[in-house]
Amino acid sequence: MLSLSEFPPAGPKACRHRGGGHCNECKVRLVSVCAALTSDELDDLEALSQHVSLGPREALFSQEGRADAVYNVTEGAIRLSRLLSDGRRHVMGFALPGDFLGLSMPERHSLTAEALMPTEVCRFERRPFRGLVSDKPNLLDRLYERAGYELMLAEEQMILLSRRTAEEKVACFLVGLRRRYARIGRISVTLELPMGRQDIADHLGLTIETVSRMLTHLDRARLILIVPGGVRLLDADRLERLAGI
């Protein structure tokens, strides 16, 4: 598996989410931290941006690699995982369009970020981005909001892994993903699952066999219908009650 850090930096490319190649016409702008910026301020941000395309399983960055940039996901999905000292992998979460990665700005990455499907991101060199943030208080406020949102997701993950049954964990994961999709305007009875069952298992602290068994159980209970590439929510209200959120 190759990381982008193993290749020379590519030249800036216009993101295909931007009409005419401009940030102020980006489809994910309103759900990202960029929403805090005016059109003129977006020009400053765009001057720093670099478009990166990832294929499935390609790494955006790797655990312990130098953290020299921050990233805004504009399309696709990214798995965020950590390799534990005993060799086990824990999937910390999944980044969707509108999510920013690397905002904590550590010296080295504590996670590995890999594309689950064809994925597009905007890349910003760390030092120029930090300078832009210091000059734009409204952007800083938006970053604080994003940090609060990420903290909420982390707290939900802690609760998810604590005292829930396997069935409740899987239901909670599906409901949480549905809400995240709704937040970026993807409202549908069919829930896309770009991550595999092993990814879900490593995220929920379960085995892949247990995840498969719980999905089958929810399918037989007519809460969901397993379809290619995801699940169809047949009874979202019952699923939410089961999830307890």
Side-chain angles (χ1 to χ4, degrees):
M1 178 178 63
L2 296 177
S3 169
L4 291 177
S5 61
E6 299 174 31
F7 296 92
K13 300 178 183 178
C15 176
R16 63 193 184 93
H17 283 271
R18 307 172 192 161
H22 299 292
C23 281
N24 59 8
E25 298 177 34
C26 178
K27 292 180 181 179
V28 300
R29 176 195 167 191
L30 296 181
V31 296
S32 183
V33 298
C34 311
L37 302 178
T38 65
S39 294
D40 290 341
E41 290 171 332
L42 279 171
D43 290 340
D44 296 333
L45 182 67
E46 186 175 349
L48 304 179
S49 69
Q50 190 177 57
H51 175 221
V52 177
S53 295
L54 298 171
R57 301 184 67 181
E58 187 174 359
L60 180 62
F61 54 79
S62 298
Q63 185 174 335
E64 299 302 331
R66 288 191 58 82
D68 54 3
V70 297
Y71 308 88
N72 186 21
V73 183
T74 57
E75 184 175 321
I78 289 178
R79 176 181 58 224
L80 303 171
S81 63
R82 178 178 296 170
L83 189 64
L84 305 180
S85 58
D86 59 5
R88 290 179 299 164
R89 183 190 72 161
H90 179 56
V91 175
M92 307 298 291
F94 304 96
L96 301 176
D99 287 342
F100 248 78
L101 303 177
L103 291 180
S104 59
M105 296 187 177
E107 290 298 323
R108 293 189 176 275
H109 293 293
S110 60
L111 305 171
T112 293
E114 298 168 280
L116 292 167
M117 58 194 300
T119 297
E120 312 287 335
V121 302
C122 282
R123 181 182 186 275
F124 305 93
E125 288 287 342
R126 178 174 176 172
R127 185 173 296 177
F129 183 80
R130 179 178 285 174
L132 179 67
V133 170
S134 66
D135 291 336
K136 304 284 189 283
N138 47 338
L139 179 57
L140 182 60
D141 289 342
R142 185 74 174 187
L143 290 175
Y144 279 135
E145 291 178 11
R146 171 62 60 170
Y149 173 69
E150 292 180 353
L151 179 59
M152 179 195 70
L153 292 179
E155 290 174 345
E156 289 180 352
Q157 175 69 3
M158 290 176 63
I159 296 172
L160 185 61
L161 295 178
S162 58
R163 298 185 178 181
R164 295 184 184 272
T165 66
E167 183 183 41
E168 290 170 341
K169 286 182 179 182
V170 173
C172 192
F173 172 75
L174 296 177
V175 170
L177 187 59
R178 176 178 181 247
R179 291 181 176 181
R180 291 185 67 195
Y181 277 142
R183 185 175 175 272
I184 59 176
R186 294 185 185 176
I187 302 175
S188 173
V189 294
T190 299
L191 191 66
E192 181 184 10
L193 297 177
M195 65 291 294
R197 293 188 179 185
Q198 186 64 63
D199 294 328
I200 297 173
D202 289 347
H203 181 55
L204 299 180
L206 302 172
T207 65
I208 187 173
E209 293 82 9
T210 299
V211 169
S212 296
R213 188 168 63 251
M214 291 303 102
L215 287 173
T216 299
H217 174 72
L218 294 174
D219 183 284
R220 289 175 177 170
R222 302 295 294 166
L223 273 72
I224 65 172
L225 175 66
I226 299 174
V227 297
V231 298
R232 186 168 300 149
L233 305 183
L234 302 180
D235 195 333
D237 291 338
R238 283 178 60 202
L239 194 65
E240 288 197 0
R241 288 196 297 271
L242 177 60
I245 59 176

